[in-house]
Amino acid sequence: MPPSFPSLHPSILPIPSCLHPSHPSILPIPSSLHPSHPFISFSCSSRRIFIIWAISSWFRRGPAPQEQSSTGGTPRAPSRNLFPKDTLMDLYVYISEHEHFTDFNVSSALFWQKRDLVYGDWTSGENADGCYEHYGEVDISQSVQQNGSIYIHVYFTKSGFHPDPRQKNLYRRLATVHTSRMINKYKRRRFQKTKNLLTGETEADPEMIKRAEDYGPVEVISHWHPNLTINMVDDHTPWVKGSVPPPLDQYVKFDAISGDYYPILYFNDYWNLQKDYFPINESLQRLPFRLSFCPLSLWRWQLYAAQSTKSPWNFLGEDLYEQSDEEQDSVKVALLETNPYLLALTIIVSIVHSIFEFLAFKNDIQFWNSRQSLEGLSVRSVFFGVFQSLVVLLYILDNETNFVVQVSVFIGLLIDLWKITKVMDVRLDRDNKVAGVLPRVSFKDKSTYIESSTKVYDDMAFRYLSWLLFPLLGCYAVYSLLYLEHKGWYSWVLSMLYGFLLTFGFITMTPQLFINYKLKSVAHLPWRMLTYKALNTFIDDLFAFVIKMPMMYRIGCLRDDVVFFIYLYQRWIYRVDLTRVNEFGLSGEDTVTPPPPHPSTPPTVLPPPPGAPKPPEDKKKD
């Protein structure tokens, strides 16, 4: 999820378009407006990695001890690799439509056979890196063309043996290692039936409309990628059964009788980008397939295994702890194509950006939790922020955005609702119930807001603002109705309000500027939080203008800078005036504590005036 480009105080004034959770990089809008670059991907990755680590640590706290002893109670002895280093091996690769392969006698099923490979050899091959490659075309049946599955079965045997168990003289269980997987990938293609609400026409492809009518709004389609790498891990660690750490324990297979483990085979498709997959349909008779074999070191295999492991928390939604395919592609492209120095800078800046966002959020909560007076703060802007968050939440629910975004926006809405209790006196009126059942919620302005001139200036600012916003809202509603397609009238209302807030929402930042101007003061603003937001703004601007992005996106970030610099200008011209007298007739100069007297000078005692009564001590002396 891309970082929300920050601006000023999100609760003093409404969040502008490019700062809001409704940012186009989060919500499903046209791909041409989707800003994808390494900074956004790494920032999102760092947040999700932290969440996965925190929750995984919580649930894995105090795990049950794993079985590390044999049935007799004695500790298990460390096992060894069944294939010693420099073992001569033969490779057999079969491709079949069956998950369990038995057709060893079918010659067409054998895709690749390579003899006399050396286990742990890093110097052979065409490029002297221990890698071998084979290219061919896979014939597919009608079943595969119609969303059927296709599997690859890989066998490594010690030289001179055969993987077919039926060949008793050539098959040895401890001399054969086997693994398999499905090599086609199923992807969901969503189709939303939209139309112009006035004319009933649509620009969607008629074939897509027909497929949506036949298969529903969500269609599962089989896809193919022409590249795959088989890695054999060059590892001879004395693993102990039951103590292999996750996620490595999914790949280390032990023999049930001898207790030793087979060589670790790993299908490496990490560098297969999603954009290179293509759908399998009736027009394809053969599929191109380039298969590679390479040795792999233990630490690199651990990195790949950690990246490719499926999240164990699938009951919370598949997207909750896993990056989307597009975000993963962004990270991979950045690792492949970005200059190493720029890549390191991007990672550092992403971490700093996340820290500043957390500090800004913490200070925002602290500011409103400890705020006693509302003088100088726009209460109407807080209510407008709740309206914005509600529109965004309903919009993403209507567009079936992933669960992570829905939760984050919902939490933001709860925080905005909590802020209402800080700017208004909220109570339940149990005497006047709604429909005679539910107590009525009543809102009343706080005394610090009514007694100050802030309320007058706040009402004045929003009255002037309505003269601009309402005509723009009407124009945008007409434009959306005439030229855009929608699922229905409800979707039109949500998308119209969302698009309007995305385009013109920054205008609602101006009431706070107007209040500052009328009060000639900015002392009421949370400047510590604004400082963190400002630093994040400059970071976002740097990447927005250095990296290729849509021009409207850059303008959206620049307009927030303009408003922030106006705040800085107001802070400069509305400095603290110590000579100004308050309502009690005191000034800042009067409250300055006088310097203490010099210790060497004794205090001067003045005699009492004549006729004054004597204190009791003097009367006793008389």
Side-chain angles (χ1 to χ4, degrees), residues 95 257 344 414:
I95 294 181
I257 299 177
L414 293 180

Side-chain angles (χ1 to χ4, degrees), residues 522-544:
V522 293
H524 46 270
L525 297 180
W527 285 103
R528 179 179 298 179
M529 189 277 302
L530 290 178
T531 302
Y532 295 130
K533 290 288 186 179
L535 293 174
N536 270 351
T537 301
F538 299 143
I539 293 174
D540 297 330
D541 291 338
L542 172 65
F543 282 93

Side-chain angles (χ1 to χ4, degrees), residues 381-434:
S381 295
V382 176
F383 278 89
F384 196 86
V386 174
F387 170 72
Q388 279 187 308
S389 300
L390 181 61
V391 170
V392 172
L393 180 61
L394 295 177
Y395 178 82
I396 63 176
L397 291 176
D398 185 59
N399 286 272
E400 301 178 358
T401 313
N402 67 68
F403 184 70
V404 178
V405 179
Q406 294 176 4
V407 171
S408 63
V409 175
F410 179 72
I411 294 176
L413 176 60
L414 293 180
I415 294 175
D416 288 338
L417 292 173
W418 169 77
K419 290 174 183 176
I420 291 181
T421 64
K422 295 298 181 179
V423 300
M424 301 281 289
D425 289 328
V426 183
R427 67 183 185 89
L428 296 178
D429 188 359
R430 302 185 184 277
D431 297 331
N432 301 320
K433 296 183 178 181
V434 179

Side-chain angles (χ1 to χ4, degrees), residues 261-536:
Y261 65 92
Y262 293 94
I264 303 169
L265 299 182
Y266 178 70
F267 289 109
N268 193 345
D269 59 354
Y270 181 78
W271 300 107
N272 290 354
L273 302 181
Q274 300 300 318
K275 63 182 181 64
D276 296 330
Y277 282 85
F278 57 87
I280 301 176
N281 50 40
E282 292 81 358
S283 63
L284 297 176
Q285 303 296 330
R286 294 182 176 181
L287 299 175
F289 195 36
R290 177 177 284 104
L291 190 61
S292 303
F293 164 75
C294 290
L296 186 66
S297 61
L298 177 62
W299 73 272
R300 290 186 64 183
W301 169 61
Q302 291 174 331
L303 293 178
Y304 285 130
Q307 287 290 328
S308 61
T309 301
K310 297 294 183 181
S311 171
W313 322 108
N314 288 332
F315 63 92
L316 294 176
E318 184 175 320
D319 294 332
L320 185 56
Y321 297 105
E322 295 181 9
Q323 293 176 313
S324 66
D325 293 338
E326 292 77 12
E327 289 173 343
Q328 289 188 17
D329 274 8
S330 300
V331 175
K332 295 173 186 177
V333 171
L335 294 174
L336 290 172
E337 301 179 0
T338 307
N339 182 281
Y341 297 102
L342 180 59
L343 185 62
L345 177 63
T346 300
I347 297 175
I348 294 174
V349 169
S350 302
I351 296 174
V352 173
H353 188 282
S354 300
I355 294 174
F356 285 158
E357 279 192 342
F358 172 76
L359 293 176
F361 173 78
K362 178 181 72 70
N363 284 276
D364 181 23
I365 299 298
Q366 289 178 347
F367 171 80
W368 284 102
N369 195 36
S370 60
R371 188 71 181 180
Q372 301 297 329
S373 174
L374 296 177
E375 184 175 1
L377 300 180
S378 176
V379 173
R380 289 176 176 263
S381 295
V382 176
F383 278 89
F384 196 86
V386 174
F387 170 72
Q388 279 187 308
S389 300
L390 181 61
V391 170
V392 172
L393 180 61
L394 295 177
Y395 178 82
I396 63 176
L397 291 176
D398 185 59
N399 286 272
E400 301 178 358
T401 313
N402 67 68
F403 184 70
V404 178
V405 179
Q406 294 176 4
V407 171
S408 63
V409 175
F410 179 72
I411 294 176
L413 176 60
L414 293 180
I415 294 175
D416 288 338
L417 292 173
W418 169 77
K419 290 174 183 176
I420 291 181
T421 64
K422 295 298 181 179
V423 300
M424 301 281 289
D425 289 328
V426 183
R427 67 183 185 89
L428 296 178
D429 188 359
R430 302 185 184 277
D431 297 331
N432 301 320
K433 296 183 178 181
V434 179
V437 179
L438 300 177
R440 189 182 301 273
V441 182
S442 62
F443 299 91
K444 183 180 179 182
D445 291 328
K446 289 183 178 292
S447 58
T448 56
Y449 181 67
I450 298 176
E451 296 172 357
S452 67
S453 56
T454 304
K455 179 176 174 57
V456 178
Y457 298 146
D458 199 8
D459 295 341
M460 188 184 304
F462 266 85
R463 184 171 66 253
Y464 295 156
L465 190 64
S466 63
W467 298 349
L468 178 63
L469 283 181
F470 288 147
L472 289 176
L473 177 61
C475 294
Y476 189 85
V478 173
Y479 166 80
S480 177
L481 191 61
L482 291 178
Y483 297 103
L484 301 181
E485 297 182 2
H486 308 278
K487 293 185 294 185
W489 290 101
Y490 174 74
S491 297
W492 168 72
V493 173
L494 291 179
S495 60
M496 180 266 297
L497 291 175
Y498 165 75
F500 172 76
L501 294 175
L502 190 68
T503 307
F504 303 107
F506 77 101
I507 301 177
T508 56
M509 300 166 62
T510 54
Q512 188 63 53
L513 297 175
F514 183 77
I515 293 176
N516 298 343
Y517 165 72
K518 285 295 186 179
L519 294 178
K520 300 296 188 291
S521 173
V522 293
H524 46 270
L525 297 180
W527 285 103
R528 179 179 298 179
M529 189 277 302
L530 290 178
T531 302
Y532 295 130
K533 290 288 186 179
L535 293 174
N536 270 351

Side-chain angles (χ1 to χ4, degrees), residues 192-235:
Q192 292 185 348
K193 189 176 181 180
T194 60
K195 63 181 179 179
N196 189 294
L197 298 179
L198 296 180
T199 62
E201 299 178 354
T202 179
E203 296 181 358
D205 187 1
E207 181 180 353
M208 294 294 296
I209 297 177
K210 185 178 183 303
R211 293 186 69 91
E213 294 175 350
D214 296 339
Y215 300 100
V218 179
E219 182 182 7
V220 179
I221 301 178
S222 176
H223 285 70
W224 179 265
H225 196 286
N227 296 324
L228 183 63
T229 299
I230 304 169
N231 288 135
M232 177 173 278
V233 182
D234 186 8
D235 171 55

Side-chain angles (χ1 to χ4, degrees), residues 18-37:
C18 69
L19 318 180
H20 205 278
S22 60
H23 193 273
S25 59
I26 297 178
L27 298 180
I29 64 171
S31 58
S32 59
L33 300 180
H34 192 294
S36 176
H37 54 80

